Amino acid sequence: MKKLKILSAILLSLFWGACNKDTAQESDLKLWYDKPAKVWNEALPIGNGRLGAMVFGDPANEKIQLNEETFWSGGPSRNDNPKALEALPKVRELIFEGKYHEAEKMVNENMVAEQLHGSMYQTIGNLNLSFDGHENYTNYYRELDIENALFSTTYTVNGVNFKREVFASFPDQVIAVKLSSDQRRSLSFSASLNGPLARSTQALDANTLEMTGISSSHEGVEGQVKFNTRAKILNDGGEIKPDGNKITVTKADEVVILISIATSFVDYKTLSADENERCQKFLSEASQKTFAKLKKAHISDYREYFTRSSLNLGTTPASERPTDIRVKNFSQTNDPELVTLYYQFGRYLLISSSRPGGQPANLQGIWNGSTHPAWDSKYTININTEMNYWPAEKCNLPELHEPLIEMVKELSEAGAQTAQTMYGCDGWVTHHNTDIWRISGVIDGAFWGMWPMGGAWLTQHLWEKYLYNGDLEYLASVYPIMKSACRFYQDFLIEEPTNGWLVVSPSNSPENAPAGRPSVTAGATMDNQILFDLFSKTIKAATLLNQDENLISEYQKILDRLPPMQIGQYGQLQEWMEDLDSPEDKHRHISHLYGLHPSSQISPYSSPELFEAARTTLQHRGDVSTGWSMGWKVNFWARMLDGNHALKLIKDQLTLVGTDNNAGEGGGTYPNLLDAHPPFQIDGNFGCTAGIAEMLLQSHDGAIHFLPALPDEWKNGEITGLRTPGGFEVNCKWENGQLIKAEIKSTLGGNCRIRVPNEMVLNDDTELKKASGTNPNPFFEKAKIKDPVISEKAKLTKTNLPKTYLYDFPTEAGETYTILEN
């Protein structure tokens, strides 16, 4: 009987799809369900970068929970602790004397922010639609079509078939809702707006609801962000009338609702916009267009991004089940199409939460149903924010990287004051967290927040964008930020007494500590790796731009004095300068493997000892962890060239967890495919999307490496639209684990070096030149790392790498090259 109900619901959905096929492409990329969402982690996300909504799809009581990306608690603010400057020398002295508890106490008392630990990203509220008599429904079907960015629900009540469509339009800056049925005069409901921070709700006229309010005060900073939300109800037929703060529609044939939201936010220093005027402008302009025209423009805009990359891993009968059931069964079934859906869902989320001109995706993207979300839904920049943007360049969404680039520019301004106030240093610094006001001080406590490396890591995204676009004008625009970041560490680095290395102190290895010791330390491995990237890439940028020849030699002297990576007594990569790692440590952060991913310092081809040490570390840490951590581990194991292990991590991440946002279970995935730390964090979605791409194509190690970590289960498949440094865009197809065809489009020209699992030829039967030595294409150049220091107790084993073939061929900008199996 249940199967018949599901089939009936699907047939009804297909009927409605046929009625609307003029605007949307048919899609297999859908999240679909046979029941409404009862809680937030079952609702489905839509967004246009600025506006977000979670749509529940309840027939009787529809709720559309609303967000606007600039609605945060507080207002323009800073959190530097001026006492840090005087305390800094003593803290360093205590660390070098091994008095870590005393050092931690002093950091907490003098360096951690005294009051403000960051503002909170907050919900606007809800649009509520109440339909009397719709509690007893049949043929229920709910879907999110991620190929067209459309939510829809269909169901039947008393023989009448009802449909709801919802999307968030970037071109028209509204959320659009359409209510329809297959019988005239069937739509009767009441509509209202409510929100926890509302100051007023009212019906402005017979067609328009309005809600206004202001963000909450937090940690001593008064709430200052004002918002205006309006919902315009356009009925075709029937009657419409205001009823207090509600609007009632009776016996309409069809209804369109347009939702507009605006705030007073201008930038991180300014709150002078007229939210009422902004809100009304969006609404007035959108109201002049038909729903069909709004929908067509929305789909066209969205698909401009989405269609650039595709993935086909095949399909099985498992894909015919509702999405939550597929996730529940994934580890025990063969459902490769769920991996495809998850890959594309990550791209969907980035398109929907990060658009040029707006804010970067925060800890929850743009989706948050609370005024007090977990970790304030800020920007955690010791891994999580960076992870959000791992798919941006590689998965062919480079424009969506822009909001993060702009935030780094703003942080370089705010962080310059922090560098002076707290440390007496030139340049700029930020620590492990920031918010929309670009705070850059130490928050939460010494254990978590005493990490002055957030800006240095974020700066890598500036360089990465150049590697993909080759735009020297862009590089010149961001080079001063890179140079200023280096300037801070020129002043801040200090010589440690044992080896004379230059180290960051005080710092930590993010959110972890050696057994029995506080986290506060000097010279953590991740810090050294990040500084190696910062200084070596800034040297490259200066060289390309023919600037600062004198600085290049100064930077090189610092590089020469950074601590090398070290291999400890268990054959592991050391997390700290001392050999303190425990094989029993299962911590979610594996920060010292930054050098393996996202950096390229650890390689099976150029640093095999470090490669094996990284493997040992991964084995010690284990697999199951928080959601985002497993997303990172997919990338780690892809870099280890172990596709089967990477797929095992995908299966661990695609484990269904409870829908309570504060569930106490391990990490995994909620029924709506959002990542569960738990609670919800969006970084795991983005990390795993990047990891799936990393399994199929890598370009960090001197060549474009096809199928570097292909699992045995993915014997046949095809992926298109991946990008690499040097301006290459790549499609590839494989059968029985062998690459049979690759297409490489060159946008910048230059040498193309490929690493492939089997022998290949160019499509004109030209023999490919076997490659050796360094890739002459400068976009693939790697800075040489120091040789590792290896413990006498370490026992290293060497893994036999899979056989590959390395080829070179010249390319011209604008040309596409086809490579075929020999």
Side-chain angles (χ1 to χ4, degrees):
M1 181 61 70
K2 185 175 181 180
K3 289 184 178 179
L4 287 174
K5 288 181 179 179
I6 293 174
L7 179 60
S8 178
I10 293 173
L11 290 173
L12 179 60
S13 174
L14 292 173
F15 163 75
W16 284 111
C19 294
N20 292 281
K21 67 180 180 181
D22 57 319
T23 55
Q25 300 290 318
E26 287 297 317
S27 171
D28 293 324
L29 293 172
K30 296 179 179 179
L31 289 67
W32 73 271
Y33 307 84
D34 59 4
K35 55 186 177 298
K38 298 299 183 185
V39 295
W40 198 90
N41 285 312
E42 293 175 338
L44 294 172
I46 61 169
N48 68 1
R50 186 178 70 88
L51 302 178
M54 296 293 285
V55 191
F56 284 66
D58 189 312
N61 294 290
E62 178 64 276
K63 181 165 79 169
I64 301 176
Q65 184 266 311
L66 304 170
N67 288 107
E68 203 277 352
E69 66 172 358
T70 63
F71 190 61
W72 290 65
S73 69
S77 47
R78 301 194 58 84
N79 70 339
D80 310 327
N81 190 333
K83 294 191 295 184
L85 184 58
E86 184 179 350
L88 179 61
K90 183 62 177 177
V91 168
R92 288 172 159 175
E93 180 184 323
L94 291 170
I95 289 172
F96 290 144
E97 290 176 353
K99 299 176 181 178
Y100 298 103
H101 289 278
E102 292 178 43
E104 179 186 55
K105 183 175 184 290
M106 197 165 187
V107 169
N108 278 324
E109 292 174 349
N110 297 277
M111 292 182 166
V112 174
E114 294 185 298
Q115 185 173 29
L116 178 63
H117 291 255
S119 294
M120 303 178 292
Y121 180 55
Q122 299 189 301
T123 181
I124 292 288
N126 310 295
L127 173 68
N128 305 291
L129 306 176
S130 179
F131 297 79
D132 287 342
H134 284 220
E135 297 84 357
N136 299 314
Y137 54 85
T138 58
N139 299 331
Y140 184 87
Y141 178 86
R142 175 171 61 107
E143 73 172 28
L144 178 63
D145 173 359
I146 64 172
E147 200 160 356
N148 298 292
L150 299 171
F151 170 93
S152 63
T153 302
T154 58
Y155 61 93
T156 303
V157 174
N158 296 328
V160 181
N161 297 317
F162 293 90
K163 182 175 185 179
R164 298 175 193 165
E165 301 172 75
V166 192
F167 61 85
S169 167
F170 180 82
D172 292 289
Q173 288 298 309
V174 294
I175 295 170
V177 182
K178 180 181 177 182
L179 310 175
S180 58
S181 69
D182 64 354
Q183 293 185 28
R184 294 189 62 200
R185 298 171 60 81
S186 298
L187 289 167
S188 297
F189 65 94
S190 65
S192 63
L193 290 166
N194 75 301
L197 298 173
R199 293 283 180 90
S200 70
T201 56
Q202 62 178 324
L204 288 179
D205 53 46
N207 295 91
T208 310
L209 293 166
E210 181 189 58
M211 177 171 64
T212 64
I214 192 166
S215 64
S216 64
S217 300
H218 183 56
E219 295 180 342
V221 182
E222 182 181 356
Q224 300 166 51
V225 185
K226 294 180 283 187
F227 76 86
N228 186 298
T229 301
R230 297 185 184 185
K232 190 163 189 176
I233 302 171
L234 304 170
N235 58 305
D236 181 3
E239 297 181 3
I240 184 168
K241 63 178 183 180
D243 180 12
N245 61 358
K246 297 180 181 180
I247 288 178
T248 301
V249 176
T250 307
K251 296 184 177 179
D253 298 332
E254 184 178 286
V255 176
V256 171
I257 305 174
L258 302 179
I259 307 166
S260 176
I261 311 171
T263 77
S264 56
F265 182 91
V266 176
D267 59 40
Y268 77 100
K269 297 178 285 189
T270 314
L271 293 171
S272 60
D274 186 330
E275 70 281 3
N276 303 314
E277 181 181 323
R278 273 182 171 180
C279 184
Q280 180 55 34
K281 183 176 184 293
F282 293 137
L283 194 60
S284 178
E285 292 177 357
S287 299
Q288 305 306 311
K289 303 177 183 180
T290 65
F291 183 85
K293 188 173 182 180
L294 293 169
K295 182 177 177 181
K296 183 177 181 180
H298 158 69
I299 291 173
S300 176
D301 167 77
Y302 172 80
R303 287 178 62 80
E304 165 63 26
Y305 296 105
F306 185 80
T307 57
R308 295 175 185 173
S309 177
S310 66
L311 174 63
N312 181 3
L313 296 174
T315 188
T316 67
S319 65
E320 299 171 5
R321 306 294 299 278
T323 302
D324 53 335
I325 303 302
R326 293 172 70 184
V327 175
K328 183 179 180 180
N329 296 340
F330 185 60
S331 62
Q332 280 78 44
T333 58
N334 180 24
D335 189 2
E337 197 174 33
L338 185 60
V339 177
T340 297
L341 183 67
Y342 199 65
Y343 168 77
Q344 293 288 26
F345 185 57
R347 296 181 70 247
Y348 165 84
L349 291 172
L350 194 58
I351 299 168
S352 302
S353 64
S354 182
R355 290 293 190 103
Q359 298 297 312
N362 62 48
L363 201 60
Q364 296 183 187
I366 53 171
W367 297 279
N368 166 39
S370 171
T371 58
H372 292 75
W375 301 287
D376 301 335
S377 192
K378 298 193 295 290
Y379 299 99
T380 306
I381 53 177
N382 65 9
I383 173 60
N384 313 90
T385 301
E386 290 88 351
M387 184 182 284
N388 284 0
Y389 286 88
W390 288 349
E393 300 294 336
K394 183 165 191 169
C395 297
N396 218 330
L397 300 169
E399 301 92 333
L400 310 187
H401 210 169
E402 181 186 306
L404 182 69
I405 304 300
E406 290 302 312
M407 184 174 82
V408 178
K409 292 179 181 178
E410 293 173 349
L411 281 170
S412 73
E413 298 168 0
Q417 185 173 335
T418 303
Q420 280 290 336
T421 300
M422 293 187 63
Y423 305 119
C425 296
D426 290 335
W428 71 280
V429 66
T430 188
H431 295 82
H432 97 293
N433 232 291
T434 190
D435 61 14
I436 198 168
W437 315 118
R438 308 309 185 231
I439 61 163
S440 44
V442 179
I443 72 163
D444 293 342
F447 190 93
W448 304 273
M450 190 58 256
W451 188 70
M453 302 299 297
W457 190 349
L458 286 171
T459 301
Q460 305 312 307
H461 286 259
L462 307 182
W463 174 253
E464 180 191 28
K465 192 162 190 66
Y466 166 72
L467 287 182
Y468 280 82
N469 66 25
D471 184 344
L472 285 173
E473 185 176 341
Y474 158 78
L475 183 61
S477 75
V478 299
Y479 172 68
I481 302 170
M482 299 171 67
K483 183 169 72 170
S484 181
C486 289
R487 177 67 216 179
F488 172 77
Y489 296 102
Q490 285 180 282
D491 289 351
F492 189 74
L493 288 171
I494 185 171
E495 180 178 293
E496 55 84 32
T498 304
N499 299 288
W501 294 328
L502 292 179
V503 297
V504 177
S505 176
S507 188
N508 62 50
S509 187
E511 304 187 29
N512 196 16
R517 225 177 78 174
S519 69
V520 173
T521 193
T525 297
M526 185 192 216
D527 293 359
N528 308 326
Q529 293 168 338
I530 290 175
L531 289 183
F532 176 85
D533 278 351
L534 175 64
F535 281 98
S536 61
K537 291 171 183 178
T538 306
I539 286 174
K540 291 180 185 178
T543 303
L544 287 164
L545 296 170
N546 294 314
Q547 294 188 30
D548 298 316
E549 186 175 343
N550 59 323
L551 280 179
I552 292 175
S553 60
E554 291 181 28
Y555 292 168
Q556 188 58 55
K557 290 176 183 177
I558 290 173
L559 283 170
D560 292 342
R561 294 190 62 191
L562 293 177
M565 284 183 267
Q566 301 179 83
I567 298 173
Q569 60 186 314
Y570 303 109
Q572 88 287 2
L573 184 67
Q574 287 184 198
E575 187 163 1
W576 297 277
M577 277 199 301
E578 306 93 336
D579 192 354
L580 302 171
D581 303 84
S582 167
E584 304 307 314
D585 183 358
K586 306 300 179 186
H587 200 273
R588 62 193 178 279
H589 285 261
I590 318 181
S591 302
H592 49 311
L593 293 196
Y594 165 93
L596 174 66
H597 181 277
S599 184
S600 59
Q601 296 169 38
I602 299 174
S603 159
Y605 302 106
S606 60
S607 53
E609 297 94 348
L610 290 171
F611 184 75
E612 293 307 321
R615 183 191 304 278
T616 299
T617 292
L618 283 171
Q619 290 169 340
H620 287 174
R621 287 293 169 93
D623 293 340
V624 175
S625 188
T626 59
W628 68 263
S629 177
M630 291 188 287
W632 199 0
K633 289 173 183 175
V634 174
N635 289 272
F636 283 146
W637 282 107
R639 289 279 174 98
M640 297 304 301
L641 310 180
D642 191 336
N644 289 332
H645 205 139
L647 179 58
K648 195 265 184 187
L649 263 300
I650 294 174
K651 291 181 177 181
D652 289 340
Q653 188 164 356
L654 281 170
T655 298
L656 191 67
V657 302
T659 54
D660 180 352
N661 202 39
N662 295 306
E665 302 145 347
T669 299
Y670 290 115
N672 57 10
L673 284 192
L674 291 177
D675 173 68
H677 180 286
F680 163 50
Q681 282 187 196
I682 205 167
D683 41 20
N685 290 98
F686 294 134
C688 195
T689 287
I692 292 165
E694 196 76 11
M695 293 164 72
L696 301 175
L697 191 79
Q698 295 178 17
S699 53
H700 65 285
D701 202 14
I704 301 173
H705 192 168
F706 288 88
L707 309 182
L710 187 69
D712 294 339
E713 291 184 25
W714 299 355
K715 293 188 181 299
N716 306 308
E718 182 174 14
I719 192 164
T720 68
L722 295 182
R723 298 171 69 241
T724 80
F728 296 107
E729 187 170 315
V730 175
N731 307 330
C732 73
K733 185 175 183 179
W734 65 95
E735 292 180 358
N736 295 317
Q738 296 291 298
L739 183 66
I740 62 168
K741 182 180 180 180
E743 294 175 330
I744 303 174
K745 179 181 178 181
S746 175
T747 64
L748 300 176
N751 185 70
C752 182
R753 175 169 290 185
I754 61 172
R755 186 182 293 276
V756 292
N758 47 282
E759 293 186 284
M760 306 291 288
V761 295
L762 284 168
N763 62 338
D764 60 0
D765 292 327
T766 302
E767 183 177 352
L768 288 165
K769 177 184 176 183
K770 291 185 178 179
S772 61
T774 301
N775 187 343
N777 190 322
F779 290 99
F780 290 83
E781 181 184 352
K782 287 179 58 176
K784 180 173 172 51
I785 64 169
K786 289 183 178 181
D787 291 335
V789 173
I790 304 176
S791 167
E792 294 180 357
K793 297 179 180 179
K795 294 180 180 179
L796 298 178
T797 58
K798 186 175 181 180
T799 302
N800 293 323
L801 300 176
K803 184 176 182 180
T804 58
Y805 299 83
L806 203 61
Y807 298 115
D808 279 344
F809 62 94
T811 71
E812 295 182 10
E815 295 296 318
T816 299
Y817 301 84
T818 302
I819 300 166
L820 302 172
E821 185 178 25
N822 189 358

